[in-house]
Amino acid sequence: MKSTTLEEAIALTKKFTSKPSNEELLKLYGLYKQATEGDNEAERPGGFDFKAAAKYNSWLTYKGKSKAEATELYLELVDQLSEKYI
């Protein structure tokens, strides 16, 4: 099943029958944030909040990509993951 909108892709992730790897989840998070909010301008989280730091860094990976580019990459990633997890 190919997603054509961000909403369809998000709905598709909710149908996954098993959980993607942490690396895959971080990529999804980073692309989603870039697609919906643009560049990460937030302050870096504190040193011992490892989960927040990983999410922050994942989003930062996509800095400079347009929302449209990030959306396209997010859709592609969800389609790839849906083949593994649905």
Side-chain angles (χ1 to χ4, degrees):
M1 180 177 180
K2 191 147 173 54
S3 309
T4 56
T5 67
L6 204 52
E7 292 75 23
E8 287 176 4
I10 293 165
L12 191 55
T13 64
K14 294 179 188 330
K15 294 179 182 172
F16 289 179
T17 54
S18 58
K19 186 178 173 188
S21 71
N22 286 340
E23 184 181 327
E24 291 165 334
L25 290 171
L26 284 170
K27 273 179 119 171
L28 282 171
Y29 176 83
L31 284 168
Y32 174 80
K33 293 296 273 184
Q34 189 69 23
T36 57
E37 296 184 31
D39 287 346
N40 184 350
E41 303 295 340
E43 204 169 297
R44 184 175 292 280
F48 292 105
D49 191 345
F50 299 113
K51 186 175 180 180
K55 290 168 94 174
Y56 177 92
N57 290 335
S58 177
W59 184 6
L60 208 56
T61 302
Y62 302 103
K63 186 174 184 133
K65 290 212 178 296
S66 71
K67 289 182 179 183
E69 277 181 295
T71 299
E72 192 60 40
L73 290 171
Y74 182 86
L75 296 178
E76 289 173 15
L77 180 59
V78 169
D79 288 341
Q80 288 171 7
L81 294 178
S82 71
E83 293 174 17
K84 284 169 66 173
Y85 297 109
I86 292 185

